[in-house]
Amino acid sequence: KAGVTQTPRYLIKTRGQQVTLSCSPISGHRSVSWYQQTPGQGLQFLFEYFSETQRNKGNFPGRFSGRQFSNSRSEMNVSTLELGDSALYLCVSSFGTGELFFGEGSRLTVL
Amino acid sequence: QKEVEQNSGPLSVPEGAIASLNCTYSDRGSQSFFWYRQYSGKSPELIMFIYSNGDKEDGRFTAQLNKASQYVSLLIRDSQPSDSATYLCAVKKGSGGSYIPTFGRGTSLIVHP
């Protein structure tokens, strides 16, 4: 069974640019969440999509957005990048009841 | 006060010893509790979950939940160097899929030979 696939794995951007990250969840999983992980703040919840609808949202500014497609694949976008956006962005796939399956992450560096 | 608190460590134990990792949470209405392990440079993976007060054992791992005191712990018996990782505690307000877990910042465990 294929795991959660995230692309790209690594990327470097400069301040002011925007970035789009992609995630393919485990087949059959309809819930996709995104988390930001940094050494200082740990794992911070960004948003969750279920059947193409945003079901939950964390406390991040509007520069962070996401969407989910009919095949459950999801993308997140960060516009007007800031230095503080440098982090590991983790996509999480879930069947719904409890266990979260994490992708390997997209490591973003903002210069 | 952070919703889920863990001692950042590192917690250092010798091989073969029992490692005890603790987590406290602030929301008394929390119902689901999870322990994830994250190796350096890797993503978290689920070790155990517990919903009811008491102990739950799975191999060398035991999760303990005390809702009255609002803490959950993870015991690792016969610790191995391969157990060296960061352990994340996660707490959910409900058991359904619409509830989002809140993660602690994790405790770094080092098991030395």
Side-chain angles (χ1 to χ4, degrees):
Chain A
K1 189 174 186 180
V4 182
T5 305
Q6 290 189 244
T7 56
R9 292 290 312 280
Y10 303 91
L11 63 167
I12 300 174
K13 295 286 187 179
T14 57
R15 281 181 298 175
Q17 287 187 309
Q18 74 165 12
V19 65
T20 299
L21 309 177
S22 180
C23 171
S24 293
I26 293 171
S27 178
H29 287 192
R30 294 161 63 188
S31 170
V32 175
S33 301
W34 290 88
Y35 285 79
Q36 180 195 68
Q37 187 174 37
T38 60
Q41 297 298 317
L43 270 170
Q44 301 286 307
F45 170 72
L46 282 156
F47 28 67
E48 183 225 5
Y49 288 87
F50 183 86
S51 294
E52 302 179 64
T53 300
Q54 187 180 84
R55 186 163 68 173
N56 287 288
K57 187 177 187 304
N59 295 323
F60 277 80
R63 299 185 297 108
F64 293 81
S65 62
R67 58 177 175 169
Q68 186 181 32
F69 302 96
S70 59
N71 60 0
S72 291
R73 191 176 68 85
S74 177
E75 288 181 348
M76 69 162 283
N77 183 278
V78 187
S79 63
T80 318
L81 284 166
E82 301 176 358
L83 295 179
D85 297 333
S86 294
L88 179 66
Y89 291 88
L90 292 162
C91 174
V92 177
S93 169
S94 172
F95 186 72
T97 53
E99 183 174 3
L100 305 181
F101 294 85
F102 286 79
E104 290 298 317
S106 293
R107 184 164 295 281
L108 170 66
T109 301
V110 182
L111 303 176
Chain B
Q1 179 188 10
K2 193 164 169 56
E3 292 183 48
V4 179
E5 298 213 40
Q6 298 180 255
N7 188 317
S8 61
L11 173 66
S12 182
V13 300
E15 184 175 356
I18 296 176
S20 177
L21 305 161
N22 299 313
C23 170
T24 59
Y25 58 94
S26 60
D27 190 335
R28 190 170 285 277
S30 299
Q31 297 187 23
S32 309
F33 308 86
F34 305 83
W35 283 100
Y36 285 81
R37 176 178 61 200
Q38 185 174 23
Y39 290 114
S40 179
K42 299 293 186 181
S43 56
E45 56 180 346
L46 181 69
I47 299 175
M48 292 190 70
F49 60 87
I50 185 168
Y51 299 149
S52 304
N53 273 330
D55 295 359
K56 180 181 179 181
E57 187 174 316
D58 184 0
R60 296 186 297 112
F61 298 94
T62 299
Q64 298 176 318
L65 175 61
N66 184 323
K67 289 186 178 180
S69 300
Q70 295 175 242
Y71 82 79
V72 56
S73 61
L74 179 70
L75 302 179
I76 307 175
R77 290 183 300 281
D78 188 24
S79 295
Q80 302 296 309
S82 59
D83 295 325
S84 298
T86 295
Y87 290 80
L88 302 166
C89 172
V91 176
K92 284 176 64 172
K93 292 183 180 180
S95 57
S98 62
Y99 294 94
I100 300 301
T102 299
F103 284 82
R105 295 188 185 183
T107 297
S108 174
L109 172 66
I110 298 173
V111 181
H112 52 87

